[in-house]
Amino acid sequence: MVDTYRLLSRGEYDNDFSFLNYNSSFPTKEVRGRNCVYKFRHKQYTGEYAYNKNLVAMINGVQSEIPYKVISVNYFKLITDKMTDIVMNNDIAIKTGDSERDQKVIKLIEDKNWKDSIRKAFKLCTEYGDSCIKTYTNGCSVLSPLNCFKVVDRSNIDRTIAYVLYEPIYTKYNSVETLEYIRFEIHFKGKIYEICKYYNGGSIGIDAEIEYHGRVIPRGGQWYNTGIDDCELVQWCCINQEADGVYGESLYQSIQDLVFAIEQRISVNAHALDASLNPFIIIGADMVHSVKDPNTGIERIELKLINDKFVLSAGDVNVKTVELNYNLENSEHMINILQGYLYELSEMGKTYLSGEYSGNISEETLNNTIKSAIDKANRLINEMYNSFRDSLYCLCRLNGIEVNRSDITIIFNVGRTDDDKTVAEICKTCTDIGLFSKHTLREKYYGYNKEQSEAEDEQIRKENELNTENTSLADSNINNTAIKEDSKNEGETQQVD
């Protein structure tokens, strides 16, 4: 149902700023539809989607709920966590084409916890299909896309005119909180427009003047200059955008039907096994007798008991139990088939998703075994790469580090298990036998572009010259010391003579 609800509003994107007009319906139909999907995606991540979820069965041709709870098998959270680990667990290298500037940038991202921010943004993006990074001088705020939307060009939806963040503001009257205002924060290249509007139960009211976090948002709104004319301070991360056109699609979409089917099979099996723990009892006819109710005169059949505890058997009839023996082999085979499709559609593979591998497996073999997961991770990070780079670019500019956006290279080392020593040995061998140039190897293992590789060569040359000068100076000092010692020795010898 949630996917159907989204289909009803897909394509009705915001193309202008008419949502700010008096009496305009807000949130718009498209935003409401997308938020409905986002909220369900978060329940899939947390496992809440399975709370109070019962099995459904056909009883006498009628679809009815049966009193069995579904056992949650939360592959959704596992997919997000595994994909985040394979992308973010290795060292992230930053290159700007200048070694001194590189050190400044590395210190900046450590001080501002920028790597933690993009890890969170990546994780949310796998969950929702979208996430937002708001970059400012002191770091980044990572936002779920629930209170965010884009304003796109009507004739070219790939061109985003502005990013809109909106915040409901509640006022408490007599201990009851009421939604009274909506604060809008609209991000353009180089500028931000902030305005607050009254909210009238589903529609936008007139402009409002309010105090917000120690400052006043005036009636009519206010403009701010960011100082970065070629980039917005909000970066929208998105995956699988081709499915929608403007917004992304969660990794959960392709596997949710399989997960629900697996949960249904497992739940049915579990409840069947539970039922087998309560066997039927078969007794002989001589172990029961007819008893007439003194009040009603109605006869009923009861067990013959002694002291209201024991069954009395008059003959040699044994009491037997009939255990329910369900043949679950076909059901288990179906579960294996469904899991196989899950591994395939998630692109994670059984080895990586389940962690099943044995023996002393080499790093190369492991990488080949989980290659589909690595390929997927690379595809996802490529889709988010520009947003991450723009965030770092803004962070640098806001903190006084002058750099061009095109100079920044972020190397995620997705799936790389080789240590620095192994990589260095590979590079040395390849250059010694003339198989690859240094530039090619830097591009392959460290993500350098041509200009950065040339800058690295220049830095190496300077360091070699400096080392040569220091070595020559040291040799000269040694020689001078030796000459002085020889002269001193000769003087002492003459005095003795």
Side-chain angles (χ1 to χ4, degrees), residues 268-463:
V268 169
N269 288 3
H271 293 302
L273 291 173
D274 287 344
S276 68
L277 298 178
N278 299 307
F280 293 107
I281 300 177
I282 298 178
I283 58 177
D286 62 335
M287 300 175 68
V288 296
H289 63 147
S290 177
V291 178
K292 181 180 290 188
D293 189 312
N295 297 322
T296 62
I298 299 175
E299 291 188 355
R300 63 178 184 274
I301 303 299
E302 290 185 352
L303 290 171
K304 294 179 181 179
L305 302 176
I306 298 177
N307 296 330
D308 294 327
K309 294 182 179 179
F310 305 105
V311 176
L312 177 64
S313 176
D316 296 330
V317 179
N318 294 323
V319 177
K320 297 181 179 179
T321 61
V322 177
E323 295 183 2
L324 300 175
N325 185 14
Y326 296 100
N327 185 359
L328 301 179
E329 291 183 2
N330 290 337
S331 183
E332 291 171 357
H333 180 61
M334 188 62 193
I335 291 174
N336 290 333
I337 292 174
L338 292 171
Q339 286 177 327
Y341 283 122
L342 175 68
Y343 298 140
E344 183 177 339
L345 286 179
S346 68
E347 302 178 66
M348 305 293 279
K350 183 178 181 180
T351 300
Y352 185 61
L353 201 58
S354 67
E356 288 186 10
Y357 59 88
S358 59
N360 295 322
I361 186 170
S362 68
E363 302 289 356
E364 182 178 0
T365 302
L366 181 59
N367 274 353
N368 289 334
T369 304
I370 65 172
K371 187 178 185 304
S372 62
I374 293 175
D375 289 343
K376 180 175 185 175
N378 277 309
R379 184 173 72 246
L380 295 180
I381 200 63
N382 284 340
E383 292 184 53
M384 297 183 229
Y385 180 83
N386 287 335
S387 298
F388 292 160
R389 185 181 62 174
D390 287 352
S391 173
L392 181 55
Y393 169 67
C394 291
L395 186 65
C396 290
R397 289 285 305 275
L398 291 171
N399 284 274
I401 300 177
E402 291 300 323
V403 63
N404 295 322
R405 182 165 38 179
S406 58
D407 290 336
I408 298 175
T409 300
I410 308 171
I411 307 137
F412 286 91
N413 295 312
V414 175
R416 176 184 157 187
T417 53
D418 297 322
D419 57 23
D420 292 336
K421 180 180 179 182
T422 303
V423 172
E425 290 173 351
I426 294 172
C427 292
K428 183 178 185 304
T429 302
C430 290
T431 53
D432 287 347
I433 65 176
L435 183 61
F436 292 113
S437 67
K438 291 181 179 179
H439 167 61
T440 300
L441 294 170
R442 285 175 182 146
E443 181 181 18
K444 175 178 175 61
Y445 289 101
Y446 300 101
Y448 280 49
N449 58 31
K450 182 180 178 181
E451 290 75 16
Q452 291 171 338
S453 182
E454 289 174 352
E456 193 70 24
D457 284 332
E458 179 64 19
Q459 182 65 25
I460 292 172
R461 185 187 64 78
K462 290 179 180 179
E463 290 177 358

Side-chain angles (χ1 to χ4, degrees), residues 4 28 75 91 159 186 194 208 210 243 266 327 336 395:
T4 303
T28 61
Y75 279 106
D91 291 335
R159 177 176 172 267
I186 307 174
E194 183 183 37
I210 68 167
I266 292 175
N327 185 359
N336 290 333
L395 186 65

Side-chain angles (χ1 to χ4, degrees), residues 197-222:
K197 296 274 189 175
Y198 282 102
Y199 189 69
N200 300 321
S203 62
I204 296 298
I206 61 174
D207 293 359
E209 179 179 303
I210 68 167
E211 184 176 341
Y212 182 79
H213 289 198
R215 57 188 173 83
V216 174
I217 303 175
R219 185 175 286 107
Q222 185 164 325

